[in-house]
Amino acid sequence: VQLQASGGGLVQAGGSLRLSCAASGAIFSLSAMGWYRQAPGKQRELVARITSGGSPNYAESVKGRFTIVRDAAKNTVYLQMNSLKPEDTAVYYCNLYGRSSSQPHRAADYWGQGTQVTVSS
């Protein structure tokens, strides 16, 4: 299972960015996809995720500003980030929780490469 993320960058406070993450490879079943982030000196935290049934959940700090949507046919999720704040600065990691064809009986977390989001004040 491979995850290809894109869309990070530098933006001023109040601006917007859109992250994309496409999953490929031997996916047996997909339970959820989403985004986590890690700021320097901090632990990785959930930003938003969406289940295979289409139910989203968000970190309290991003509710009302971020929106996660999915294209099930493409195994792709998008994170629309509006009203960005300097505290949103972090490396954002795409995540897939599911089963690969090589291990269909064991669900696992799969991670993409991080993409840097920097919000200047």
Side-chain angles (χ1 to χ4, degrees):
V1 177
Q2 295 84 43
L3 301 175
Q4 182 65 47
S6 61
L10 172 65
V11 65
Q12 288 189 332
S16 299
L17 283 173
R18 187 190 193 215
L19 304 183
S20 301
C21 177
S24 62
I27 301 170
F28 181 75
S29 68
L30 189 157
S31 297
M33 286 186 72
W35 293 91
Y36 289 69
R37 68 186 180 187
Q38 188 167 19
K42 295 188 176 181
Q43 290 188 330
R44 190 173 296 189
E45 62 176 1
L46 172 69
V47 177
R49 72 198 298 258
I50 187 165
T51 67
S52 58
S55 298
N57 66 288
Y58 299 93
E60 284 296 323
S61 60
V62 306
K63 281 183 179 179
R65 300 188 297 122
F66 291 11
T67 302
I68 188 168
V69 296
R70 70 188 183 106
D71 183 334
K74 296 181 179 180
N75 282 336
T76 299
V77 292
Y78 306 93
L79 184 67
Q80 179 65 42
M81 304 185 293
N82 298 328
S83 302
L84 282 160
K85 304 176 181 179
E87 49 264 44
D88 294 318
T89 296
V91 177
Y92 284 67
Y93 295 92
C94 180
N95 170 268
L96 181 153
Y97 184 72
R99 303 169 195 267
S100 70
S101 297
S102 61
Q103 293 185 311
H105 302 296
R106 185 177 76 89
D109 284 300
Y110 298 88
W111 297 93
Q113 86 285 4
T115 185
Q116 178 71 45
V117 171
T118 303
V119 185
S120 63
S121 57

